[in-house]
Amino acid sequence: MAEPSTISRGHGLGVVRTMPEFREFVDQQTPLTVAQRRVLVDQARVLVENLYVHLPLKRAMHAVDPAQRLRLLAYRLEVLTDREFHAELLDIFISVRDLHTNYLLPAPFAGRLAFLGVLIERYAESGGPRWMVSKVFDHLVTEPTLTAGVEVTHWNGAPLDLAVWRNAQREAGSNLPARAARGLENLTLRSLVVSLPPEEDWVDLRYLVDGEPHEARLAWRVFDSVDEVLGVGAAPEGMLAGLTTPPAHLVGVDFRTELVRRVKKQLFAPAAVKEERRVERSKAAVPRATETQKAENIIPTSRPDDLFAKVVDTAHGTYGYLRLFTFHMKDGKIGEFVGEVARLLDEEFPPDGLIVDVRGNGGGYIIAAEFLLQFLTPRRVEPEPTQFVNTPSTLDLCTKVADMAQWRASIAQAIETGAQYSTAIPLSEPALVNAVGQLYHGPVVLITDALCYSACDMFAGGFADHEIGRILGVDANTGAGGANVLDHDQLRSEWTNGPLRALPAGAGMRVSLRRTLRVGVSAGQPVEDLGIQPHELHDMTRDDLLEGNRDLLDRAGEILSAGIPRVLDATVTSVTGQDLLIEVTTRSVASVDVYVDGRPQGPGGVPTPDGATTLAVQLPPSGAATIRLEGFVDGTLVAARQLTVEPD
């Protein structure tokens, strides 16, 4: 066996330690005192026993009792080593299989990530699963045959399917596809704020090159990763100027998925990092396309960390492609994000169909996810309602925190009724998530995987529940994160005279505070653990991993080709007093109804043959109005367009 891998200079990762060096570094740190451990356990009990909304569900579905385990841990504080204490507290949180509810390790683990320098992904061949090295860190020095495209067969002597399965059992994914996806990801990348360091110093990898077995020894290394602080949204602006709930209370994100997403980009996508820096330097509202982008039909965007856009040629036609990497804007500018998506949908994509890809999206701001749904459907969007678990603590919290007050009455009533959960109320304001209306009128397909989580689950659920289009999954389920999450420090700062106390040594905790429920035909069904199942499945292929998702996009294109492209554009051509003329351009829309400030105007059913039609609209005396155009075919609503008219 060869010597363990090394990394070359110029890697840009800062201080990098081998695993023995990192253990020595950890051993030099001052361990937690018994008193500090007691604070951590006591605070974990407050969160789990008094606030954790999924506790009844988790006890039923996974046969776990985290509250009892915390009580037992409190009795054993003095006999455990520091590592044993952290491992037990981590395992208690992991046992509920909820990526929202975490124990975040203190220094020296926080802010660091362990990596091997390769990325392994699953694909299908000959009817069974295979695993491939899909990406290699540019600065990894190892066996020259270990390149992107080789098939991996064994991990430390174990067949890779067993190694992935074993690793998956240590993960908090709430369903089997989610655990498997995170087990595979955790083989090569581990955020040490939520996972203890690997036990081994290196990994022996066996792989095939042209059918011949080869081996490489990859050393685990630890570096100071990207900033682990997931900030809160800035002051609402742009399309979200009317937002009244603090963005910090609208978060639904898998902490680890978001961190690992950023690290993957840092290690394996230097071109993406370069593009972010180019856009940041340009400070242009709409960045100019480079020659490379033009050649590849890439649409430049002002938010390259959050999304990617291009026009793709598939075997079944040419369509728009929108990749939503995250719903958590690291600069907090949620309004800029939704505004950029609106611009792309309204101006850049061909009308024949759109592929929206949310694979690997660990969620973020719930308002960002639910706000986008209106852009894709003529129907009124119904945001997912949320519930607290009914306890004296949630009653006190809702009494103290202003924007939670609307849940208080139903929690108080539970003293008499014995109800387990509060009234279900949406976090996203219904008027706000319908303020803009539909912008894209062609058929849409959504691509999901098992790493989609939280706010991304809500986006996928809304996509299904509002019947926007077909969902094409590369896994049999999404990650199934059905909650609004708040961290311990945030709750402590807002819960006046509450039971939360400062955590020692920079440790942290997060808790699922309000659970989310589906709407539409799935109304009332919890998202947690159940997730969003796709309409169709696609097994990733070698060409998908090595050729830019070629087969996956062809399958999405085939689905879109069965849809009906529509157009409903509208432009105000003249305003004379209260008389307004609108030129409507339509395709595959038989007639249009006009609404002014929510009230129907005229007889309705104005015929709209393909092409341009002029509509006369009467404005109210103020001269300001919201005009909604609804397009129909055979009595079915198929398209909508909304205009805002301001007085001169």
Side-chain angles (χ1 to χ4, degrees), residues 14 19 63 113 173 219 261 271 300 357 373 455 458 515 528 617 634 641:
M19 194 52 61
L113 186 131
R261 179 190 74 85
D357 189 346
L373 292 170
M458 297 176 73
R515 73 171 189 167
E528 183 71 20
V617 176
D634 295 330
R641 175 69 71 169

Side-chain angles (χ1 to χ4, degrees), residues 372-385:
L372 299 189
L373 292 170
Q374 64 184 306
F375 298 163
L376 304 173
T377 177
R379 297 178 176 85
R380 182 174 175 81
V381 170
E382 182 183 356
E384 289 190 354

Side-chain angles (χ1 to χ4, degrees), residues 501-579:
R501 303 291 177 262
L503 300 179
M509 294 179 188
R510 302 165 73 245
V511 66
S512 293
L513 188 65
R514 289 174 279 203
R515 73 171 189 167
T516 60
L517 304 176
R518 299 278 295 275
V519 299
V521 294
S522 303
Q525 176 179 302
V527 176
E528 183 71 20
D529 284 348
L530 302 180
I532 314 301
Q533 296 182 356
H535 299 108
E536 302 183 36
L537 279 171
H538 171 81
D539 285 325
M540 295 291 283
T541 67
R542 284 184 59 86
D543 284 347
D544 283 328
L545 298 183
L546 297 175
E547 303 293 337
N549 301 302
R550 187 174 68 187
D551 295 331
L552 175 62
L553 295 180
D554 279 347
R555 181 70 190 101
E558 183 180 4
I559 296 172
L560 290 174
S561 68
I564 300 175
R566 303 185 197 276
V567 173
L568 177 51
D569 292 333
T571 304
V572 175
T573 57
S574 72
V575 182
T576 305
Q578 293 176 239
D579 296 323

